[in-house]
Amino acid sequence: MGKWVNGAGEGRKIYHALTNEALYSVTTEGLPLAKSLQYGREIGGEALANQTFQQRGEMIKALAKYLLAHKDELYAISAQTGATKADSWVDIEGGIGTLFAYAGLASRELPDDTVWSEDEMIPLSKQGQFIARHILTSRRGVALHINAFNFPCWGMLEKLAPTWLAGMPAIIKPATASAQVTQAMVKLMVDSGLVPEGAIQLICGGVGDMFDHLDFEDVVTFTGSAGTGQKLKSHPRIHQKSVPFTMEADSLNCAILGSDVLPESPEFALFIKEIAREMTAKAGQKCTAIRRIIVPKSQLENVKHALLKRLSGVTMGDPAVDGVRMGALINLEQRQDVQEKVDYLRANGCELLCGGSFTNLQVMGADSQNGAFYPPTLLYCAQPFIHQAVHETEAFGPVATLMSYDSLEQAVQLAILGGGSLAGTLVTADSQVAQSVIRASARAHGRMLILNEAAAAESTGHGSPLPMLVHGGPGRAGGGEELGGLRAVKHYMQRTAIQGSPSMLTAISKQWMRGADTVADVVHPFRKYFEDLVIGDTLLTARRTVTEADIVNFACLSGDNFYVHVDKLGAEQSMFGERIAHGYFVVSAAAGLFVDAGVGPVIANYGMENLRFIEPVKIGDTIQVRLTCKKTIKKVQKKAEDKPNGVVEWDVQVFNQRNEVVALYSILTLVERRHGDF
């Protein structure tokens, strides 16, 4: 509630992953957690709701720059979790990159408004005076984000970016084992002064009675184990108030080697490299890590030997020591959990190929027993259709299980036995193999990577969620969706269908719709600066009669000699019965009718959208254009020397002499602003 407060009592301890030294105590005992929900709604919610999408995007961008400038502080603390520099880079800078990505989406695609009109007008009547559209508005609740220990920064930021863009405040509840990293980043956010008061709160420890005080406009997201997620999702208050609950759970992700790939194929080496990387990055503590390795029976021995050779070269120890490629698990408790899961798999149909125990480990620069080190462990399941444990039990560390298939159909069956996955990878050079496997198994995955030699140079890899792609998956993976570009923002907003007359819906959405009132002015719209334009500003142009010479000249100029334009006999046999003007001639002629040729505030026309040719324009037809200001988006001036401007979307309607619409579309222009931001 706007200040740093300590809980009461001893709390739970956070230990150094490399030394098992007690570092911090974590508790929320005695804190007014229920009041923090109300504080977020009233203070943070009010501040964010009054900002436009563009302003929220600028806030997120400025914050990303600030965090990037202070990243070294976070790396030092992240090292306490056993992460290597590369592991921390994904978490810290990868998370900050997500902020930049969402700020860019806001700048390019979201309105300079607090209401988001999601789609175009939907006609509901013959005369066009009863219409509908869907709008998105900010929920006046709080997003409670309960995160996992493996990505204390990225896991928070990939949820915060769309939450803030949606206009919702957030309460972050990190996993205790790495809460110090999250706390350090939140402190930077608060110290920056860039985040509105109440837009973010942090609680380290339990959630107390917060669930009892959730309301229908709140949102809960959870990342972690499926068991814990299901328990939280079944809380009576979640059902009573229909609180949206998004879960992203660890899953038994798979990698499939295509039946076409041989040891000498480039794809074979890619497969081995990808498996080894996924097993050792973050010491295997990734919700997207590959747990099941599915290969053709004919390549089983080759894959086994190649993987064993690759894994034998992995050096463990203190990541600060040169040459260390894999650090420790988060703590000794996690190491014990991994050991128990490995033992269970071995007792249920899996054979140990390497690793499998943390005793007698050789590590560099650290004590292998006091530190939470666990070796890369490869198992083999000879009968994966009989032993279900391999598809149901996850050792959340550097552990994966090898299994084989006789046919692609079996490979797909094995992939689906995981019960729903966040991510899957298919390595193949054969497009037919890719088609068969992906079409059959996509239903059980949130994301799938098809890796071959062509994609390898630029591929971000199996385990890298990207801001523009959905992160989530069905079944065991939780059934939720995070990221996915602007889809994620919509999860935190309320979608409402509004119905009424075009003028009423124009007033509500601040976007002009066909059939709504217009504003006529003696001043041409292209002579007006951005600030002077109003929604509904319209221009009805002079007329132009289309001649045979127009069509012939346009065909010569463009090279478009399609028969319905230039072949009289061919055109007579067509559905039109005679020659017609090129559609793009109509668009060009329309531009000639509505533009103002003189130097003025319009800087450039940079786009055309939703072009539809409704009726043919024939020789002798007369066309006329109605140009209307549909919506405006103010663009932030980045430098003092830049010309301040905004984007204006214009509705264009082209009519013929019978008042029939022949073409409909929108154009986008950059229009100069009178006043800059500097």
Side-chain angles (χ1 to χ4, degrees):
M1 296 189 292
K3 54 189 176 183
W4 293 102
V5 184
N6 289 325
E10 185 176 342
R12 287 183 59 190
K13 294 289 192 296
I14 296 177
Y15 298 93
H16 198 296
L18 303 181
T19 65
N20 200 36
E21 172 193 0
L23 300 174
Y24 309 94
S25 180
V26 176
T27 181
T28 55
E29 190 69 32
L31 298 183
L33 300 182
K35 290 183 179 180
S36 68
L37 285 168
Q38 198 59 30
Y39 180 83
R41 295 177 190 128
E42 294 177 355
I43 306 300
E46 182 73 19
L48 287 168
N50 289 328
Q51 291 184 338
T52 68
F53 289 99
Q54 293 286 313
Q55 290 170 331
R56 295 169 198 156
E58 282 301 310
M59 180 268 287
I60 291 171
K61 182 178 179 180
L63 181 64
K65 289 181 178 179
Y66 182 89
L67 293 176
L68 201 59
H70 294 79
K71 63 183 181 182
D72 289 345
E73 303 172 34
L74 300 171
Y75 275 100
I77 298 173
S78 180
Q80 298 170 356
T81 69
T84 65
K85 185 69 178 290
D87 295 336
S88 296
W89 182 89
V90 173
D91 184 36
I92 297 167
E93 297 189 51
I96 295 171
T98 299
L99 292 183
F100 278 120
Y102 272 89
L105 282 173
S107 175
R108 294 189 303 272
E109 301 186 41
L110 292 180
D112 188 21
D113 196 358
T114 58
V115 174
W116 180 359
S117 297
E118 187 181 22
D119 49 17
E120 293 297 320
M121 150 183 118
I122 302 167
L124 299 177
S125 66
K126 290 183 178 180
Q127 300 302 317
Q129 284 303 303
F130 186 53
I131 64 170
R133 76 182 311 182
H134 294 90
I135 62 170
L136 294 161
T137 53
S138 299
R139 292 173 174 269
R140 297 307 291 269
V142 172
L144 174 59
H145 295 312
I146 303 172
N147 296 327
F149 71 79
N150 52 342
F151 288 100
C153 294
W154 179 89
M156 170 177 62
L157 297 179
E158 59 111 6
K159 295 175 181 176
L160 267 181
T163 300
W164 280 341
L165 270 188
M168 280 193 85
I171 296 177
I172 308 300
K173 191 279 181 208
T176 294
S178 58
Q180 73 271 33
V181 189
T182 307
Q183 191 268 351
M185 180 171 269
V186 171
K187 188 174 188 304
L188 285 174
M189 293 180 188
V190 174
D191 292 346
S192 74
L194 296 168
V195 181
E197 179 65 39
I200 186 169
Q201 297 178 80
L202 173 78
I203 58 168
C204 297
V207 295
D209 63 347
M210 290 185 76
F211 270 59
D212 295 330
H213 301 278
L214 293 171
D215 212 339
F216 76 100
E217 291 194 275
D218 297 324
V219 174
V220 177
T221 72
F222 171 80
T223 300
S225 72
T228 303
Q230 292 294 344
K231 181 179 178 180
L232 293 174
K233 191 175 183 178
S234 63
H235 191 283
R237 190 73 172 182
I238 297 292
H239 296 286
Q240 179 188 353
K241 292 292 184 176
S242 298
V243 177
F245 188 102
T246 297
M247 181 166 71
E248 186 262 285
D250 306 324
S251 58
L252 289 149
N253 311 294
C254 70
I256 303 171
L257 183 66
S259 53
D260 60 297
V261 179
L262 302 175
E264 59 269 21
S265 307
E267 284 74 18
F268 188 90
L270 290 173
F271 184 76
I272 301 302
K273 181 180 179 181
E274 195 70 16
I275 298 294
R277 179 169 64 180
E278 286 299 309
M279 288 180 66
T280 56
K282 291 287 288 186
Q285 300 170 114
K286 294 170 59 181
C287 56
T288 55
I290 294 169
R291 303 299 181 195
R292 298 175 302 142
I293 308 164
I294 304 170
V295 304
K297 186 167 288 184
S298 60
Q299 298 303 326
L300 178 62
E301 289 302 314
N302 291 324
V303 171
K304 181 194 300 183
H305 292 308
L307 276 176
L308 289 173
K309 181 179 179 181
R310 183 100 183 188
L311 294 174
S312 67
V314 175
T315 50
M316 290 179 291
D318 183 347
V321 176
D322 287 342
V324 170
R325 291 179 56 194
M326 191 177 89
L329 299 176
I330 191 72
N331 54 33
L332 296 184
E333 181 182 356
Q334 182 63 25
R335 183 176 72 176
Q336 185 59 37
D337 182 73
V338 171
Q339 186 64 65
E340 290 173 2
K341 296 294 174 51
V342 169
D343 293 343
Y344 179 80
L345 287 168
R346 293 182 65 183
N348 287 272
C350 293
E351 171 192 342
L352 182 66
L353 299 180
C354 72
S357 173
F358 57 82
T359 58
N360 301 319
L361 281 181
Q362 298 296 316
V363 300
M364 299 173 62
D367 185 324
S368 66
Q369 297 308 299
N370 285 332
F373 295 100
Y374 198 88
T377 297
L378 184 64
L379 303 170
Y380 168 60
C381 182
Q383 296 178 304
F385 288 104
I386 295 175
H387 298 289
Q388 294 302 303
V390 73
H391 306 297
E392 298 171 351
T393 303
E394 179 182 32
F396 201 68
V399 182
T401 303
L402 184 62
M403 60 194 74
S404 66
Y405 66 86
D406 292 317
S407 65
L408 286 179
E409 289 76 16
Q410 280 194 349
V412 169
Q413 290 171 18
L414 289 171
I416 293 174
L417 280 175
S421 298
L422 294 171
T425 287
L426 169 66
V427 178
T428 180
D430 189 323
S431 60
Q432 290 302 308
V433 170
Q435 182 186 98
S436 298
V437 173
I438 300 300
R439 280 174 169 261
S441 59
R443 61 190 169 91
H445 295 80
R447 176 169 54 85
M448 297 197 80
L449 166 67
I450 303 99
L451 189 61
N452 63 0
E453 186 180 20
E458 296 181 304
S459 169
T460 52
H462 165 94
S464 299
L466 299 172
M468 63 289 293
L469 303 181
V470 167
H471 178 52
R476 182 190 172 93
E481 285 188 0
E482 296 172 1
L483 299 179
L486 294 180
R487 292 181 185 86
V489 180
K490 296 179 182 181
H491 291 325
Y492 301 98
M493 305 193 76
Q494 177 59 44
R495 178 182 289 106
T496 305
I498 55 173
Q499 301 164 271
S501 70
S503 293
M504 285 296 184
L505 267 59
T506 290
I508 292 168
S509 65
K510 296 184 180 179
Q511 295 182 18
W512 185 84
M513 279 166 270
R514 292 171 188 142
D517 296 335
T518 57
V519 180
D521 196 337
V522 294
V523 180
H524 192 290
F526 279 21
R527 308 304 304 170
K528 296 183 178 182
Y529 285 87
F530 182 84
E531 294 92 336
D532 301 332
L533 286 164
V534 296
I535 302 302
D537 257 346
T538 194
L539 170 72
L540 184 63
T541 70
R543 300 180 180 88
R544 172 173 177 167
T545 299
V546 177
T547 67
E548 181 179 17
D550 289 331
I551 296 174
V552 172
N553 288 336
F554 191 83
C556 292
L557 184 64
S558 66
D560 181 355
N561 292 299
F562 190 57
Y563 75 96
V564 297
H565 308 309
V566 299
D567 182 345
K568 182 178 180 180
L569 294 179
E572 287 175 351
Q573 298 171 27
S574 73
M575 62 180 289
F576 305 110
E578 59 183 291
R579 283 183 291 167
I580 63 170
H582 304 71
Y584 295 110
F585 167 77
V586 175
V587 172
S588 300
L593 289 170
F594 66 66
V595 297
D596 183 291
V599 176
V602 176
I603 300 169
N605 174 343
Y606 74 93
M608 179 185 297
E609 296 181 342
N610 303 316
L611 173 61
R612 293 292 183 272
F613 297 120
I614 311 299
E615 294 289 341
V617 175
K618 301 177 180 180
I619 297 170
D621 280 352
T622 298
I623 61 172
Q624 189 176 21
V625 182
R626 182 179 294 279
L627 178 77
T628 308
C629 178
K630 184 176 180 180
K631 68 177 179 180
T632 60
I633 301 175
K634 178 185 173 183
K635 304 297 288 184
V636 175
Q637 185 182 5
K638 296 180 179 179
K639 300 177 183 177
E641 58 268 26
D642 292 343
K643 184 176 289 188
N645 62 71
V647 175
V648 180
E649 182 176 346
W650 306 86
D651 179 80
V652 184
Q653 302 176 66
V654 186
F655 303 89
N656 63 19
Q657 69 275 15
R658 293 179 294 278
N659 209 36
E660 297 169 335
V661 176
V662 300
L664 294 172
Y665 54 99
S666 296
I667 60 168
L668 302 170
T669 61
L670 281 180
V671 179
E672 186 177 351
R673 291 195 277 125
R674 289 185 181 277
H675 308 292
D677 299 329
F678 292 88

